[in-house]
Amino acid sequence: MELVQIQRRLVDYTKSLFMEGFLDAQFLQLQQLQDDSNPYFVFEVVSLFFEDSEKLLNELTIALDQPNVDFKKIDSHVHQLKGSSSSIGAQRVKNACIAFRNYCDVQNIEGCLTCLQQVKQECYLVKNKFETLFRLEQQIMASGGSVPTIELGF
Amino acid sequence: MESCNCIEPQWPPDDLLMKYQYISDFFIALAYFSIPLELIYFVKKSAVFPYRWVLVQFGAFIVLCGATHLINLWTFTVHSRTVASVMTTAKVLTAAVSCITALMLVHIIPDLLSVKTRELFLKNKAAELDREMGLIRTQEETGRHVRMLTHEIRSTLDRHTILKTTLVELGRTLALEECALWMPTRTGLELQLSYTLRQQNPVGYTVPIHHPVINQVFSSNRAVKISPNCPVARLRPAGKYMPGEVVAVRVPLLHLSNFHINDWPELSTKRYALMVLMLPSDSARQWHVHELELVEVVADQVAVALSHAAILEESMRARDLLMDQNVALDLARREAETAIRARNDFLAVMNHEMRTPMHAIIALSSLLQETELTPEQRLMVETVLKSSNLLATLINDVLDLSRLEDGSLQLDLGTFNLYAVFREVLNLIKPIASVKKLHVSLNLAPDLPEYAVGDEKRLMQTILNIVGNAVKFSKEGSISITAFVAKLDTLRDSKAPEFLPVLSDNHFYLRVQVKDSGSGINPLDIPKLFTKFAQNQSTGTRNSGGSGLGLAICKRFVNLMEGHIWIESEGLGKGCTAILIVKLGMPERVNESKLPYMPKMPTNHGQIAFPGLKVLVMDENGVSRMVTEGLLLHLGCDVTMVGSSDECLRLVSHEHKVVFMDICVPCIDSYGITIRIHEKFTKRHERPLLVALTGNTDKVTKENCMRAGMDGLILKPVSLDKMRSVLTDLLEHRVFFEAI
């Protein structure tokens, strides 16, 4: 059955995301919050995250370009980004943010720039992953099936 | 042949005389020769004879004498010169030896005589020893008799048998005619004949005790010879010519009380029995010393045996008594248990029965309060509510007290926030205090741990009771509540001598002092304060709104918490200080996180845990705000979202039960908001619980939150289960700080 195959692919794909460290347990929590009264909860949250993160990354790029770098502001932005990413379970983004903050604390511009690049990279990656995930889900929904819940043992 | 020079005739005409001399000489010589032979023979036979050489001498002497006489035989006739010379030699020798022997005898004869004396002496000695041997044998026999007697006497613990046996054995050993025992009567004024040897059924003769002879016998512990005409000795049928000698001895009757432990029994008893022994009449027997000694020893043994018998009787009696008492006690205990069980059943039933309508009254009254009411109606409803609350409290108090007395009350131990307890008490008491214009201050020592293990509800009840009393009895002034960790020296207060605190690593003693400037208490009344139902009626301004149980219950709670509570007052009008010390446990670090975290519950999507619970979520970060909203929506809450502190302050109302604030340094001044929310809601029950959501995992944040007056702290990220359990805990305990 095609539906079953797609479902299995979804499950495998999600598992691989966990294995590779893109997602962590928080994402599972998010999935648990999705129910019949709120069927697109995860999608909404993730979309919001990407909107936010784009805005924040732009701000950060501008801020780091300044001659006098306002580290406080950068710190607050990164903090926001970290909060958002941890809220949806984007683990790698969150880790990158943590590293970014460390460099921010010591006011190391070079380090900050490197970290910014990394964060951007991670965001881009996880965005792609999520898009694939959602596409699969949509396919399943369109076929009339239900999205299988992931039971991961950690 | 030469003729000798002697002028003796050749053959004298007296032939007869010559012949007789010849024969005599011959026999003398024979005798003289045979005597030594005999001597030698007999000496050889006897092994012991010290004077051999004397004998030799003597022998020599005799032999020579004999030889002389023998040689003399030849001199009767004509004899040659050789014979003469031999004769002369013999005579000379004889003379020498006899002289020497004579000299020797001078030395020897005294010795021989003394031998005789020694012999005599030894004979006397032997006779004496024989006598002594006889004596010892007699004594040994006596001893044997005594042992046998004692054995007989002590082999039984029956009084009657002891005495009978004594008399029989004594009679047998000493071959008595009659032996009698006189016991003192109950009054102690007479001696009654109790036992006799020959007369089988002694008639109850009595003899007054104060007879000189009897006194004499009683005053000495020896056997005393008494006259046969003495009243105690007149037992035999008259008509004998010569009554035998009579001896009497006292037998001390020892009481139990005479036997002191580790002491010898003092013979300071006043009671003696008299034993009278009579030798057979018409016999010339006398009482010998050893017989008297035997009698004395026997008397002592009898005394001991009798006291043993008495002790045994006593202990048997005591044991029977104890058994009876035991049975009675058992019965009483069972009855008491039945009564308690009946009472408990009654209470349990009444508890339920009473609480149900109470609950209905209180619930409905409070619901009524929420509706539209005219002022008079509101007043009425409030009164109803107040009265029913009082009644409910009273019911609880009574039930609690009965359970406390039972000992069936157990503390609900748990980790709780100590600071919150005090804050709660303060908040509860503030309204009343402000009405009475009393100033209440709370002073918590910095070293007071924020969490403690104990029975939170009852601790709060106790503190509230004390503080309530302080407020009740103060018309003006101030009330100060101080709490700190009691150190060892403060623990050992002179006011609490029986309170012996033990410090250990995972416990601490909380000391709370509530000082008021109110009406004070008369120091004499202080002990009565903690007794049930006792009320101090001295001051007329007393608000008799209490059942008098409050302090009694407090005391019992405090006792359960291994503490102590007491009140000090300098007198009427001088205010008083209530001091409370309880033992609380130190929470382990692990416990904090274990606290509210229930094991993973199966996520039931259909289950809505908190229907309609109004919460406000304040978070600048859109994403996390959305996630939190989703969480709470999933749990069925009614969520309002705000993105800034102003919005939060604007929108927060008393309908919101919980406010989740995302704090992040340095974005929002969440502490400022907290304080302003506290100010906005003065009534505690109206103020929503303030919970901080943060990703900051450091203690400073947590402490800041607590100091600012937040009721909780949760670490992000929050899972669904965690939020569910946190909310449950929050709503129940009104405080939740996650362990960091």
Side-chain angles (χ1 to χ4, degrees):
Chain A
M1 298 274 140
E2 211 177 323
L3 176 61
V4 174
Q5 274 180 343
I6 301 177
Q7 281 177 331
R8 197 176 306 138
R9 253 178 65 193
L10 176 65
V11 170
D12 289 344
Y13 189 69
T14 317
K15 277 206 180 129
S16 71
L17 287 180
F18 281 106
M19 296 297 177
E20 285 162 20
F22 282 104
L23 299 177
D24 62 7
Q26 180 63 16
F27 185 70
L28 284 176
Q29 295 291 329
L30 237 62
Q31 286 192 320
Q32 282 184 358
L33 297 176
Q34 183 162 300
D35 56 2
D36 295 339
S37 60
N38 217 348
Y40 299 106
F41 179 72
V42 179
F43 180 76
E44 281 169 11
V45 176
V46 172
S47 313
L48 185 60
F49 167 69
F50 284 122
E51 277 176 61
D52 261 6
S53 59
E54 211 172 287
K55 256 184 275 173
L56 282 169
L57 286 170
N58 286 340
E59 295 274 341
L60 279 167
T61 318
I62 294 168
L64 277 172
D65 252 352
Q66 303 291 325
N68 290 343
V69 178
D70 186 1
F71 282 100
K72 271 202 161 50
K73 199 155 132 206
I74 291 182
D75 189 57
S76 89
H77 285 319
V78 177
H79 182 80
Q80 286 276 324
L81 191 58
K82 177 175 148 234
S84 309
S85 57
S86 66
S87 293
I88 66 161
Q91 192 176 20
R92 281 163 75 145
V93 177
K94 183 182 84 181
N95 291 341
C97 287
I98 292 172
F100 198 150
R101 280 194 87 186
N102 289 340
Y103 280 111
C104 213
D105 283 345
V106 300
Q107 307 206 342
N108 182 346
I109 296 186
E110 292 307 304
C112 287
L113 281 167
T114 323
C115 278
L116 180 62
Q117 280 310 110
Q118 213 165 348
V119 171
K120 278 188 179 166
Q121 178 82 352
E122 292 298 334
C123 275
Y124 182 72
L125 277 170
V126 83
K127 188 168 175 186
N128 281 347
K129 300 286 181 191
F130 272 124
E131 280 172 6
T132 319
L133 205 68
F134 290 137
R135 221 177 327 115
L136 282 171
E137 279 189 16
Q138 257 185 330
Q139 280 184 329
I140 293 175
M141 303 277 264
S143 308
S146 60
V147 178
T149 47
I150 315 285
E151 295 293 324
L152 281 169
F154 56 80
Chain B
M1 175 167 73
E2 297 162 354
S3 59
C4 60
N5 295 334
C6 59
I7 38 176
E8 279 158 294
Q10 301 195 342
W11 267 103
D14 307 35
D15 280 335
L16 208 63
L17 286 170
M18 272 303 121
K19 260 197 192 131
Y20 284 138
Q21 277 196 348
Y22 197 81
I23 293 168
S24 314
D25 269 334
F26 176 73
F27 274 113
I28 288 171
L30 201 65
Y32 275 6
F33 279 133
S34 60
I35 286 173
L37 286 173
E38 284 171 14
L39 270 173
I40 291 169
Y41 175 69
F42 284 114
V43 168
K44 264 218 164 104
K45 275 280 175 137
S46 87
V48 184
F49 194 75
Y51 301 115
R52 277 182 200 254
W53 57 274
V54 169
L55 262 179
V56 166
Q57 255 182 338
F58 213 61
F61 163 63
I62 293 177
V63 163
L64 283 169
C65 270
T68 314
H69 280 281
L70 192 68
I71 294 169
N72 220 19
L73 288 177
W74 272 271
T75 54
F76 283 121
T77 50
V78 175
H79 49 277
S80 61
R81 192 165 180 90
T82 325
V83 176
S85 57
V86 168
M87 180 80 198
T88 320
T89 323
K91 275 207 172 136
V92 165
L93 277 174
T94 311
V97 172
S98 35
C99 283
I100 295 173
T101 312
L103 281 170
M104 279 299 138
L105 279 176
V106 170
H107 293 284
I108 287 170
I109 289 181
D111 273 347
L112 286 174
L113 285 175
S114 79
V115 164
K116 257 305 183 198
T117 345
R118 244 180 273 149
E119 193 195 313
L120 204 64
F121 174 68
L122 282 169
K123 228 191 263 173
N124 284 343
K125 239 343 191 208
E128 208 179 289
L129 281 170
D130 268 337
R131 271 200 301 276
E132 272 182 25
M133 265 273 290
L135 222 74
I136 288 172
R137 236 184 259 127
T138 335
Q139 277 180 345
E140 198 212 334
E141 268 214 25
T142 314
R144 215 160 23 85
H145 282 300
V146 169
R147 271 197 299 282
M148 185 206 35
L149 247 162
T150 314
H151 178 76
E152 290 288 336
I153 293 171
R154 299 283 283 273
S155 66
T156 169
L157 285 171
D158 175 36
R159 200 189 172 104
H160 182 78
T161 322
I162 288 172
L163 292 169
K164 254 311 191 194
T165 318
T166 312
L167 297 181
V168 163
E169 290 298 326
L170 268 179
R172 205 160 46 83
T173 312
L174 299 172
L176 300 170
E177 180 180 354
E178 180 60 89
C179 190
L181 189 73
W182 299 76
M183 303 280 278
T185 56
R186 210 151 262 288
T187 57
L189 295 174
E190 292 180 324
L191 283 177
Q192 188 182 26
L193 182 62
S194 314
Y195 300 91
T196 56
L197 186 58
R198 308 280 175 215
Q199 291 172 274
Q200 288 309 314
N201 300 315
V203 187
Y205 289 142
T206 54
V207 165
I209 211 168
H210 295 294
H211 196 277
V213 170
I214 298 175
N215 282 342
Q216 186 201 4
V217 175
F218 279 175
S219 59
S220 136
N221 65 347
R222 314 219 46 160
V224 176
K225 289 207 187 91
I226 62 175
S227 150
N229 294 325
C230 181
V232 290
R234 268 196 241 118
L235 293 171
R236 291 172 287 199
K240 302 280 179 166
Y241 296 124
M242 270 249 323
E245 289 199 346
V246 182
V247 147
V249 69
R250 74 172 187 191
V251 179
L253 295 174
L254 301 166
H255 289 284
L256 275 162
S257 57
N258 282 77
F259 286 96
H260 302 286
I261 306 182
N262 299 331
D263 278 352
W264 286 110
E266 298 165 5
L267 295 176
S268 60
T269 54
K270 298 289 188 283
R271 283 163 54 93
Y272 297 109
L274 191 71
M275 194 152 61
V276 177
L277 306 114
M278 292 171 232
L279 288 178
S281 340
D282 293 342
S283 75
R285 264 185 64 186
Q286 299 262 329
W287 279 101
H288 298 271
V289 170
H290 70 268
E291 288 170 342
L292 290 178
E293 280 171 6
L294 183 128
V295 166
E296 283 158 25
V297 168
V298 167
D300 278 336
Q301 289 297 322
V302 166
V304 171
L306 280 177
S307 53
H308 281 192
I311 290 174
L312 183 73
E313 266 177 44
E314 193 66 42
S315 70
M316 300 286 280
R317 220 170 341 119
R319 194 194 65 170
D320 286 337
L321 192 65
L322 275 173
M323 274 182 28
D324 287 337
Q325 280 179 343
N326 245 13
V327 168
L329 275 172
D330 204 34
L331 189 65
R333 183 180 59 95
R334 264 181 281 136
E335 279 176 12
E337 274 177 8
T338 324
I340 288 178
R341 248 176 291 142
R343 186 200 64 177
N344 283 347
D345 289 339
F346 169 74
L347 277 176
V349 166
M350 286 308 294
N351 182 6
H352 183 256
E353 298 301 323
M354 285 199 284
R355 281 201 220 255
T356 318
M358 276 313 309
H359 186 73
I361 296 173
I362 293 174
L364 291 172
S365 313
S366 37
L367 277 177
L368 193 59
Q369 249 188 345
E370 306 281 321
T371 63
E372 288 279 335
L373 295 168
T374 69
E376 297 103 39
Q377 285 175 328
R378 186 165 288 277
L379 200 63
M380 285 189 250
V381 169
E382 274 176 8
T383 315
V384 167
L385 202 53
K386 234 190 291 183
S387 313
S388 40
N389 272 328
L390 251 165
L391 189 58
T393 316
L394 182 63
I395 292 173
N396 285 340
D397 277 356
V398 171
L399 288 169
D400 264 348
L401 195 62
S402 67
R403 271 198 301 158
L404 277 170
E405 305 230 285
D406 262 356
S408 62
L409 187 76
Q410 276 171 331
L411 295 175
D412 299 323
L413 294 176
T415 311
F416 63 93
N417 187 339
L418 203 52
Y419 285 71
V421 167
F422 285 105
R423 272 208 302 278
E424 175 90 29
V425 168
L426 201 63
N427 288 329
L428 283 169
I429 213 69
K430 262 210 177 114
I432 310 174
S434 61
V435 163
K436 287 179 105 171
K437 305 263 192 307
L438 295 166
H439 178 254
V440 183
S441 67
L442 172 65
N443 215 336
L444 299 176
D447 66 345
L448 198 65
E450 86 198 39
Y451 282 102
V453 177
D455 190 337
E456 181 195 14
K457 191 174 73 147
R458 295 196 170 99
L459 181 67
M460 188 168 351
Q461 197 178 342
T462 311
I463 299 176
L464 193 57
N465 197 313
I466 299 175
V467 174
N469 280 347
V471 168
K472 230 194 289 189
F473 296 114
S474 303
K475 283 195 280 188
E476 58 191 1
S478 68
I479 298 182
S480 83
I481 310 170
T482 18
F484 52 93
V485 175
K487 302 286 180 292
L488 201 56
D489 49 339
T490 54
L491 283 175
R492 297 209 196 287
D493 215 303
S494 57
K495 298 267 183 206
E498 63 279 347
F499 177 52
L500 297 166
V502 173
L503 288 177
S504 64
D505 268 341
N506 50 2
H507 289 100
F508 70 97
Y509 284 90
L510 169 72
R511 186 178 161 121
V512 180
Q513 283 176 201
V514 178
K515 190 169 162 54
D516 72 56
S517 57
S519 52
I521 303 174
N522 191 345
L524 296 172
D525 288 332
I526 288 182
K528 280 192 278 174
L529 283 171
F530 292 98
T531 45
K532 272 196 305 186
F533 304 120
Q535 289 215 10
N536 189 359
Q537 302 293 346
S538 59
T539 53
T541 54
R542 232 193 105 94
N543 178 11
S544 53
S547 60
L549 282 177
L551 280 177
I553 292 186
C554 286
K555 189 169 171 70
R556 279 175 180 75
F557 282 151
V558 166
N559 283 342
L560 272 176
M561 294 189 218
E562 297 177 55
H564 193 74
I565 179 172
W566 72 97
I567 294 188
E568 295 172 7
S569 173
E570 288 172 31
L572 290 168
K574 298 208 181 86
C576 71
T577 313
I579 302 165
L580 150 77
I581 300 182
V582 289
K583 184 176 178 186
L584 296 171
M586 298 286 271
E588 296 156 22
R589 302 248 34 187
V590 185
N591 277 348
E592 282 186 45
S593 60
K594 234 201 304 185
L595 219 212
Y597 219 91
M598 290 181 281
K600 240 190 180 313
M601 291 195 307
T603 50
N604 191 350
H605 291 276
Q607 181 189 45
I608 295 172
F610 310 97
L613 180 74
K614 280 194 86 126
V615 293
L616 186 76
V617 176
M618 183 192 81
D619 192 347
E620 261 207 343
N621 186 325
V623 175
S624 68
R625 193 169 59 223
M626 194 164 172
V627 173
T628 315
E629 185 195 19
L631 259 174
L632 291 165
L633 277 175
H634 193 77
L635 290 171
C637 304
D638 181 1
V639 185
T640 317
M641 310 278 289
V642 292
S644 71
S645 47
D646 294 326
E647 257 187 291
C648 174
L649 277 169
R650 202 157 33 86
L651 286 181
V652 74
S653 73
H654 65 89
E655 289 168 14
H656 294 109
K657 292 284 173 275
V658 189
V659 174
F660 287 101
M661 284 189 274
D662 182 80
I663 54 166
C664 56
V665 180
C667 328
I668 309 173
D669 181 19
S670 32
Y671 306 126
I673 299 180
T674 315
I675 294 170
R676 279 156 76 183
I677 292 183
H678 268 277
E679 283 170 12
K680 187 168 173 184
F681 298 97
T682 48
K683 294 205 180 55
R684 201 194 186 267
H685 64 268
E686 282 182 3
R687 177 172 66 76
L689 292 166
L690 301 167
V691 181
L693 274 171
T694 178
N696 276 342
T697 56
D698 60 318
K699 281 209 91 158
V700 179
T701 317
K702 187 171 168 185
E703 278 166 14
N704 289 341
C705 288
M706 293 212 289
R707 282 233 181 76
M710 295 202 138
D711 300 300
L713 180 118
I714 311 175
L715 291 175
K716 285 204 285 192
V718 191
S719 72
L720 186 62
D721 291 339
K722 186 157 147 189
M723 183 57 92
R724 191 186 280 118
S725 59
V726 163
L727 272 177
T728 317
D729 225 86
L730 256 178
L731 292 172
E732 198 181 300
H733 293 125
R734 303 196 69 76
V735 75
F736 171 62
F737 281 92
E738 191 170 348
I740 293 181

